[in-house]
């Protein structure tokens, strides 16, 4: 028997409130969630969409300090900006909250205390950089220095943007404080840690329950809602295979949620943003319920076993929603008989949408920001274009040319043309009145019920691009129907036949206004109005009407009066409209290339000059890779075992994105043999191998001639 779902809670990743959202964010998270929620509402299901702003963390404090304003000023600005952009784009949140709200702080403190009182947290003393000039401990982002992997002199303490390596501040060479430019010193500080490993077995079982490969025969039907995408399962399993470690949940900061305990060790500490942000889904639902006048309504969505939670996120947020947040809820649920939280039933994470062939990047100012886009172009055209390029299983690309072609060819020439011709002809030749009653068989000459059922199934399974494509296929069929039946010719000899054609066409307009509503809601409301209906489609949904299946049936009877006007649904986008945008791209690309070239020059030209005698100190040796493997939790690193003459050396190399372990095994490489040992990710590196950077950052390992003797010195 299929699992019964009484209600669904949809959450969307919380955009960070230190900058505007761009089209990549819209494509990967907010638009697919909105399309899904609108479809479900049309089916008459109980579903709510909860979102909001992530307003804590170091990047916000850095922005505030740069601008000389408070962190609250920063988050107030970007919360309003992003909320307004989402609203203008038709993203229909039931509630859009803020993690700086008192209600959220209360929820996060409740979770901390529950887990603290169960003695689940660990406390650990660690070495952390301290800026004696500024008089404070430095979080990762407040430390900058030279990346030990690629040599980038402006790497942050948490990650090098140039090579992508995840770092800790203590791994940086020549570390500096962003507060004072002073060299920080290491001092001891204590932090609370969440023991993810304690929940390893439970999390593995949780993932198995949503992995189609683990299902028994017949399980798919019973768990049709909970099948995770392969990319979500695979990425989560990668972390599980590496083993889950303790993860800090506190930071030494002044901006954030203070720990709700009277303990000297808690002074000056706040909850780490990764821990508090995901709890926003719960606190925002509680705020939504309070706004509706029912303080306990939120429990129905989070704690009723017949309720379902779905997290829409991008692929860079997968483990926070498949491992970390579930582990926090498991910790809360442990030992409880009531007030037990549901874990997410599905986490439909998307891949990335790129921009004209390159990854969107706010930090590098290579992006199209949602608010700015909507000042020039209609929201529905953007929604449709992005939906047709939804990055479900692989990265996709937004281009201005594709946006123009889809708007002009599919929205204007196909859907818009069909609707306007149908209404205009009825207004001109039948006095704006539906001229004929017709049977369902007439509608089935254009589409079959099975096609609508297929669209619905695609929505249920989060295949948004396929659903939208199938919907446009019906619009194409409707357009062909009108063109091939030529009512403008038929009416000259047989007015009744023309009336039957137009009755079918008008009912097709109504069907399309329903089928396209999840994708282009504003346009569908305009069609709905032109067809002579009062109010909006959303009004019918709010009344509790299940209107999705009405698309299969005639809805306009003989004598129904149209509104008395028609309008162009989509104005074509001309070359002159996108030319400024294309020029802007050229400028952005030129600036990016200049920065990248400048960075390359900086790494070469500004390295300290050395004497010949100094160079002679470098011991370069031919070595052979005898084995290679990936380093846990370091996506860029490979651990190499090298044969150097009679010795074996272990070297860590930041080339995992460019070579597989199998590709390197057996190769000869050039080793810097007398480089001082360093420890990275808990592994010792006894030297460095040489590589050269090619086009688009591709690394190529330098190989000596095969005639070179292993271990011989390179002169």
């Amino acid at each position: 028997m299929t699992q019964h779902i009484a209600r669904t809670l949809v959450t969307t990743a919380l955009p960070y409130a230190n900058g505007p959202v761009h089209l990549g964010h819209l494509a990967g998270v907010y638009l697919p969630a909105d399309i899904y929620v609108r479809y479900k509402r049309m089916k008459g299901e109980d579903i709510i969409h909860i979102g909001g702003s992530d307003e804590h963390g170091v990047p916000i404090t850095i922005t505030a300090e740069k601008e000389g304003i408070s962190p609250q000023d920063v988050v107030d600005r970007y919360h309003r900006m992003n909320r307004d952009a989402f609203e203008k784009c038709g993203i229909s949140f039931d509630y859009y909250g803020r993690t700086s709200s008192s209600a959220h702080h209360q929820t996060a403190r409740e979770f901390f205390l529950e887990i603290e009182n169960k003695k689940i947290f660990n406390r650990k003393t660690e070495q952390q950089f301290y800026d004696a000039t500024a008089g404070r401990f430095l979080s990762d982002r407040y430390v900058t220095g030279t990346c030990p992997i690629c040599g980038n002199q402006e790497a942050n303490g948490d990650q090098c943007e140039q090579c992508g390596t995840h770092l800790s501040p203590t791994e940086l060479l020549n570390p500096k404080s962003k507060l004072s430019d002073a060299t920080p010193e290491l001092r001891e500080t204590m932090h609370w840690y969440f023991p993810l490993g304690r929940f390893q077995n439970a999390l593995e079982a949780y993932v198995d329950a949503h992995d189609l490969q683990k299902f028994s025969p017949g399980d798919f039907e019973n768990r049709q809602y909970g099948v995770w995408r392969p990319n979500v399962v695979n990425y989560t399993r990668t972390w599980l295979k590496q083993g889950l470690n303790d993860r800090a949940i506190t930071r030494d900061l002044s901006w954030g949620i203070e720990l709700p305990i009277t303990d000297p060790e808690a002074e000056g500490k706040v909850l780490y943003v990764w821990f508090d942000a995901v709890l926003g889904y719960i606190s925002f639902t509680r705020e939504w319920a309070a706004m509706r006048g029912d303080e306990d309504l939120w429990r129905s969505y989070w704690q009723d076993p017949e309720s379902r939670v779905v997290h829409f996120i991008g692929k860079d947020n997968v483990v926070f929603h498949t491992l970390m947040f579930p582990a926090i809820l498991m910790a809360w649920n442990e030992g409880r008989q009531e007030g037990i939280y549901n874990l997410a039933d599905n986490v439909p994470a998307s891949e990335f949408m790129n921009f004209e062939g390159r990854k969107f990047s706010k930090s590098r100012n290579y992006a199209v920001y949602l608010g700015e886009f909507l000042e020039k172009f209609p929201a529905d055209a953007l929604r449709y274009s992005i939906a047709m390029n939804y990055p479900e299983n692989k990265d996709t690309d937004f281009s201005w040319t594709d946006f123009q072609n889809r708007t002009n060819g599919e929205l204007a020439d196909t859907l818009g043309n069909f609707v306007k011709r149908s209404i205009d002809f009825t207004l001109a030749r039948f006095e704006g009145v539906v001229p004929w009653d017709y049977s369902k068989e007439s509608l089935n000459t254009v589409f079959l019920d099975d096609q609508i059922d297929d669209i619905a199934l695609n929505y249920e399974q989060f295949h948004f691009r396929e659903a939208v494509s199938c919907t446009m296929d019906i619009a194409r069929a409707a357009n062909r129907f009108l063109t091939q039946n030529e009512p403008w010719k038929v009416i000259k000899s047989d007015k009744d036949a023309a009336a039957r054609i137009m009755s079918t066409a008008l009912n097709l307009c109504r069907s399309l206004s329903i089928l396209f509503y999840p994708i282009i809601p504003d346009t569908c409301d305009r069609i709905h109005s032109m067809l002579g209906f009062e109010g909006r489609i959303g009004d019918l949904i709010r009344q509790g009407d299940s209107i999705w299946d009405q698309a299969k049936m005639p809805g306009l009877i003989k004598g129904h009066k149209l509104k008395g006007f028609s309008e162009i649904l989509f104005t074509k986008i001309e070359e002159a409209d996108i030319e400024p945008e294309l020029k802007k791209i050229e400028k952005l690309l030129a600036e990016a290339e200049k920065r990248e070239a400048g960075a390359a020059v900086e790494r070469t030209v500004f390295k300290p000059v050395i004497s010949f005698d100094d160079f002679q100190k470098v011991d370069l040796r031919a070595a052979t890779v005898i084995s290679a493997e990936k380093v846990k939790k370091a996506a860029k690193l490979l651990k190499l075992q090298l044969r150097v003459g009679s010795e074996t050396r272990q070297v860590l190399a930041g080339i995992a994105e460019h070579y597989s372990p199998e590709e390197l095994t057996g190769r000869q490489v050039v080793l810097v043999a007398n480089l001082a040992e360093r420890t990275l990710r808990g592994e010792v590196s006894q030297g460095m191998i040489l590589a050269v950077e090619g086009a688009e950052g591709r690394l190529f390992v330098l190989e000596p001639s095969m005639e070179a003797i292993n271990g011989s010195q390179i002169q």
Side-chain angles (χ1 to χ4, degrees), residues 9 11 36 206 210 223-229 232 308-313 321-322 343-349 460-462:
L9 168 68
T11 73
Y36 181 75
Y206 171 55
H210 297 279
R223 295 301 314 281
Q224 61 171 318
Y225 288 103
V227 181
W228 289 0
R229 289 174 176 167
V232 175
R308 178 186 184 218
V309 177
V310 180
H311 299 310
F312 280 85
I313 57 170
H321 293 78
T322 60
L343 306 187
D345 187 60
N346 216 310
V347 186
E460 297 285 0
Q461 298 179 348
F462 309 106

Side-chain angles (χ1 to χ4, degrees), residues 378 380-381 407 411-412 415-416 520 523 526 567-572:
D380 277 0
T407 301
L411 293 178
L415 176 63
I520 48 175
T523 301
R526 290 159 63 198
E567 59 181 280
I568 296 173
L569 294 178
F570 292 94
T571 301
K572 289 195 174 185

Side-chain angles (χ1 to χ4, degrees), residues 441-467:
E441 286 71 26
S442 299
L443 199 61
N444 291 154
T445 61
V446 178
F447 66 83
L448 301 176
D449 290 355
D450 288 349
Q451 289 175 267
I452 295 179
D453 293 339
D454 287 344
I455 293 171
L457 182 61
N458 278 311
Y459 280 136
E460 297 285 0
Q461 298 179 348
F462 309 106
H463 302 319
F464 301 107
R465 179 160 56 173
E466 186 64 24

Side-chain angles (χ1 to χ4, degrees), residues 161-389:
E161 270 215 5
Q162 187 164 285
C163 70
T165 301
H166 290 276
L167 301 165
S168 69
T170 55
E171 291 175 335
L172 292 174
L173 306 176
N174 305 314
K176 297 288 183 183
S177 166
K178 288 186 178 180
L179 293 177
S180 66
D181 204 37
T183 299
E185 58 189 63
L186 285 172
R187 292 190 183 181
E188 283 192 348
T189 183
M190 192 281 294
H191 284 293
W192 276 256
Y193 279 75
F194 186 90
L196 282 172
R198 172 175 177 156
F199 301 95
Q200 172 108 17
N201 292 338
L203 289 167
E204 288 179 349
Y206 171 55
V207 176
D208 284 348
H210 297 279
D211 182 358
L212 185 59
Q213 301 301 316
K214 297 285 185 177
F215 285 10
S216 302
D219 277 356
F220 180 73
E221 181 181 355
N222 295 334
R223 295 301 314 281
Q224 61 171 318
Y225 288 103
V227 181
W228 289 0
R229 289 174 176 167
N231 63 335
V232 175
V233 171
N234 294 338
Y235 192 52
T236 305
R237 288 204 185 284
T238 298
W239 275 62
L240 289 169
K241 287 177 183 177
Q242 292 172 348
L244 301 178
N245 299 316
D246 293 357
R247 189 177 180 92
I249 67 151
T250 59
R251 275 292 180 260
D252 293 297
L253 282 174
S254 58
W255 176 248
I257 302 174
E258 296 177 359
L259 301 193
I261 54 176
T262 55
D263 185 326
E265 291 184 312
E267 187 175 341
K269 299 189 190 300
V270 300
L271 292 177
Y272 204 166
V273 68
W274 77 263
F275 182 87
D276 99 74
V278 289
L279 296 173
Y281 301 141
I282 296 172
S283 63
F284 299 163
T285 312
R286 293 173 71 169
E287 290 180 86
W288 166 81
M291 183 182 67
R292 292 173 61 93
D294 186 343
E295 297 285 347
D296 290 325
L297 180 60
W298 68 274
R299 296 184 185 278
S300 299
Y301 292 88
W302 277 105
Q303 297 179 346
D304 186 329
E306 291 192 341
S307 294
R308 178 186 184 218
V309 177
V310 180
H311 299 310
F312 280 85
I313 57 170
K315 65 180 177 182
D316 53 340
N317 260 327
V318 166
V319 294
F320 289 101
H321 293 78
T322 60
L323 294 177
M324 296 175 193
F325 187 33
I328 293 171
L329 297 180
M330 289 175 181
W332 172 280
N333 294 341
E334 192 172 281
R336 279 180 164 266
Q337 299 300 315
E338 58 183 22
I340 294 174
Y341 283 90
N342 299 325
L343 306 187
D345 187 60
N346 216 310
V347 186
S350 70
E351 300 296 307
F352 290 144
M353 173 172 277
N354 297 320
F355 172 43
E356 296 284 357
R358 287 187 173 220
K359 185 178 177 180
F360 280 96
S361 174
K362 285 199 297 185
S363 62
R364 296 178 180 177
N365 197 33
Y366 187 76
V368 178
Y369 295 107
L370 179 58
E372 293 179 1
F373 185 101
L374 297 176
E375 291 175 0
K376 304 171 186 176
F377 300 98
D380 277 0
L382 175 63
R383 288 173 63 103
Y384 176 79
S385 176
I386 285 182
M388 287 292 278
N389 286 291

